[in-house]
Amino acid sequence: MPAVVAAIDQGTTSTRCLLFDHDARIVAMEQLEHRQYLPRPGWVEHDPAEIWSNTRTVLAGAVARAECRPGDVAAIGITNQRETTVVWDRTTGEPIAPAIVWQDTRTQSICDDLAVDGGVGRYRERVGLPLATYFAGPKVRWLLEHVDGARARAEAGELLMGTIDSWLVWNLSGGLHVTDATNASRTMLMDLDTLDWAPDIAADLGIPVAMLPQIRSSSEVYAQVRERGPLAGVPIAGILGDQQAATFGQACLQRGEAKNTYGTGNFLLLNTGTERVLSQNGLLTTVCYALPGQPPVYALEGSIAVTGSLVQWLRDNLGLIESAPEVETLAASVEDNGGAYFVPAFSGLFAPHWRPDARGAIVGLTRYVNRGHLARAALEATAFQTREVIEAMNADAAVDLRSLKVDGGMVGNELLMQFQADLLDVPVVRPVVTETTALGAAYAAGLAVGFWSSTEEIRANWAADREWRPAMGAAQREELYARWKKAVTRTLDWV
């Protein structure tokens, strides 16, 4: 029997490959960062060719580190930054422009034009999403309108579009153009009931349906790696958008179970089972996962644009710290935030506000505030934003959260995790395997080839590593949160 499953975790700032054994233990890992291009205010771009090159490198590197042969790898699963969009030539495979990243806000005028007829909720009942710059559909329209000759080439059938999963499968397989239902549900072009493209919405956006990939389940053998590729002949057998992959990896497989990923942004997903719940409180309705021969499982999602990337901003833009882990030490040097609140609305505010006119602000400053207070305010911003999303989720799902499973790069920050438990007044639980995004992709691929026999095996693999329990009084908790909400109002109507 093959010994491992490979997971390609293509994220906003880096590409990683992790190999997992049958007990979900990490056997090897390789990682490469890619460049962030910021050509104008509000624009964020990636180089698709760099991402593909890095994917090849980390895939080969992880296998070499584990001293595996291709026959030792049962399958490859892919998880990806979801809404980031690539358009490329069907024949040559050359991208026509840089990838437009999910954080990018250049498509606001397109969203505004579409909202003239029906408002920002014009398509929400069918696709579960508001009209927002976050999603892939408007990004494709922007490329077709602004790259010379792109629209004519698209209408002639010469161009393909895809989120990063489609781009990687196309390159790994030698030309298969597919996506899964979780990624398709982030384009604003997929009907949540049929799990198929909505031609009328595509027409409204001016996107030829022939550009779109085939929508498949999240766990099946799509193709084998092409002969001249890394791990030639190994099945490509799982695709999940990164937040759905983390939900799967956290074994949130029953209705009412939730997880929160602390990464570049924060993404909280609540499994709503086979019922798609339309949010009345600013959340997204999305596909949680789709297994072959079974009804799709849906989720409510609260998406927060800036959390971990705020720590990067303190490091790279302000030079306040030299490395990301230093932020905890600096924040712990003070007892509280000193009255300072940091609302990182760099790309507007996502859930539950959906205010593209917001911009970042630090408020409550006095001469007393020092570097430590700013570091603490930056960390606390993550917890405050998470509480906003959870309150919206409790209202939509009519169920109060009893504990929160957490994962992602920031969950090693114990000061943040304790503050999160204090602010939510529920336990916060970190699993033994914190690489849940990659693990979810591995699970999807492994299920498709029989490496794991059932979702019950996935549930049995999950184990808690650390739990933080609330220790803050109710009066203090509510006072802090009230001041946060006041700070949020100061960011609105800026642009």
Side-chain angles (χ1 to χ4, degrees):
M1 283 285 291
V4 296
V5 172
I8 297 169
D9 180 0
Q10 203 300 297
T12 306
T13 58
S14 71
T15 305
R16 306 186 302 162
C17 179
L18 291 85
L19 304 183
F20 292 93
D21 66 15
H22 193 270
D23 295 325
R25 293 176 298 205
I26 298 171
V27 175
M29 181 177 76
E30 285 286 312
Q31 178 172 357
L32 281 174
E33 290 191 1
H34 56 267
R35 186 173 172 185
Q36 309 293 309
Y37 295 88
L38 309 167
R40 298 185 190 179
W43 288 32
V44 188
E45 297 178 345
H46 292 159
D47 179 355
E50 181 187 9
I51 286 175
W52 166 234
S53 175
N54 286 359
T55 300
R56 289 172 58 94
T57 300
V58 298
L59 190 55
V63 170
R65 186 177 293 276
E67 300 185 347
C68 286
R69 298 164 297 184
D72 295 327
V73 182
I76 297 172
I78 295 172
T79 183
N80 57 290
Q81 47 167 327
R82 295 170 297 180
E83 297 81 7
T84 297
T85 304
V86 187
V87 174
W88 68 93
D89 186 288
R90 181 190 296 270
T91 302
T92 67
E94 290 295 317
I96 68 167
I100 302 180
V101 178
W102 59 272
Q103 300 156 311
D104 190 288
T105 61
R106 76 184 71 180
T107 58
Q108 188 60 54
S109 62
I110 293 173
C111 296
D112 291 342
D113 289 345
L114 289 166
V116 169
D117 182 8
V120 296
R122 177 175 176 176
Y123 305 120
R124 185 194 294 269
E125 190 168 339
R126 294 176 63 194
V127 304
L129 312 173
L131 282 164
T133 60
Y134 185 18
F135 307 112
K139 301 181 195 301
V140 178
R141 175 168 166 173
W142 192 95
L143 289 168
L144 297 184
E145 289 180 348
H146 290 84
V147 177
D148 287 345
R151 181 164 296 286
R153 293 172 66 193
E155 292 174 353
E158 298 174 11
L159 300 181
L160 302 175
M161 68 75 64
T163 41
I164 295 294
D165 59 304
S166 296
W167 170 244
L168 294 182
V169 173
W170 196 87
N171 281 287
L172 278 167
S173 67
L176 179 67
H177 191 214
V178 299
T179 189
D180 89 304
T182 67
N183 280 289
S185 72
R186 314 300 293 193
T187 62
M188 223 164 61
L189 300 169
M190 189 193 81
D191 188 299
L192 283 176
D193 286 328
T194 65
L195 301 194
D196 206 351
W197 301 118
D200 57 326
I201 299 178
D204 288 347
L205 270 72
I207 299 172
V209 174
M211 292 184 71
L212 305 177
Q214 182 186 10
I215 301 173
R216 305 277 283 270
S217 79
S218 307
S219 176
E220 62 177 276
V221 176
Y222 313 104
Q224 280 75 38
V225 177
R226 59 188 171 88
E227 283 305 312
R228 298 187 66 181
L231 293 182
V234 173
I236 307 165
I239 303 173
L240 285 163
D242 52 8
Q243 304 313 318
Q244 287 91 336
T247 307
F248 209 66
Q250 283 272 39
C252 294
L253 304 174
Q254 293 183 355
R255 177 182 170 88
E257 295 183 321
K259 69 86 199 176
N260 197 24
T261 296
Y262 295 73
T264 301
N266 264 36
F267 302 88
L268 199 152
L269 269 72
L270 173 71
N271 183 327
T272 62
T274 56
E275 177 189 6
R276 63 180 190 92
V277 177
L278 203 62
S279 175
Q280 304 300 317
N281 295 280
L283 303 180
L284 309 177
T285 305
T286 195
V287 176
C288 191
Y289 56 89
L291 300 180
Q294 299 180 25
V297 173
Y298 297 98
L300 279 173
E301 175 175 332
S303 306
I304 302 168
V306 178
T307 54
S309 57
L310 178 56
V311 176
Q312 293 177 318
W313 186 82
L314 294 179
R315 180 193 66 190
D316 299 338
N317 292 49
L318 295 191
L320 195 67
I321 52 176
E322 291 186 4
S323 65
E326 288 179 28
V327 73
E328 182 175 10
T329 304
L330 186 56
S333 69
V334 293
E335 293 184 357
D336 54 34
N337 63 18
Y341 290 79
F342 197 152
V343 186
F346 296 155
S347 303
L349 289 170
F350 282 14
H353 306 281
W354 298 106
R355 292 291 297 264
D357 58 298
R359 285 298 177 267
I362 306 173
V363 300
L365 295 181
T366 63
R367 289 194 65 182
Y368 171 71
V369 172
N370 62 30
R371 295 168 65 245
H373 296 118
L374 290 181
R376 194 173 187 107
L379 289 181
E380 289 182 354
T382 294
F384 284 125
Q385 291 180 100
T386 296
R387 175 163 168 179
E388 288 184 315
V389 167
I390 285 179
E391 287 190 344
M393 199 163 278
N394 287 342
D396 276 333
V399 58
D400 289 337
L401 196 70
R402 296 189 176 184
S403 67
L404 182 66
K405 291 182 177 180
V406 298
D407 55 68
M410 297 181 80
V411 299
N413 189 313
E414 302 211 358
L415 187 151
L416 171 60
M417 292 296 101
Q418 182 60 55
F419 187 74
Q420 186 72 87
D422 289 341
L423 201 61
L424 297 178
D425 198 28
V426 299
V428 169
V429 186
R430 183 177 68 196
V432 171
V433 179
T434 59
E435 298 289 354
T436 54
T437 303
L439 180 57
Y443 278 150
L447 284 172
V449 298
F451 189 81
W452 288 288
S453 62
S454 68
T455 54
E456 290 307 310
E457 272 199 274
I458 293 173
R459 185 174 293 280
N461 274 345
W462 190 91
D465 170 57
R466 174 75 193 274
E467 180 176 303
W468 290 267
R469 292 188 167 274
M472 182 181 288
Q476 181 184 3
R477 176 167 56 248
E478 297 313 312
E479 181 182 358
L480 290 171
Y481 187 52
R483 289 182 180 176
W484 163 263
K485 290 194 288 187
K486 185 176 182 179
V488 170
T489 67
R490 301 299 193 263
T491 71
L492 306 179
D493 298 315
W494 194 258
V495 294

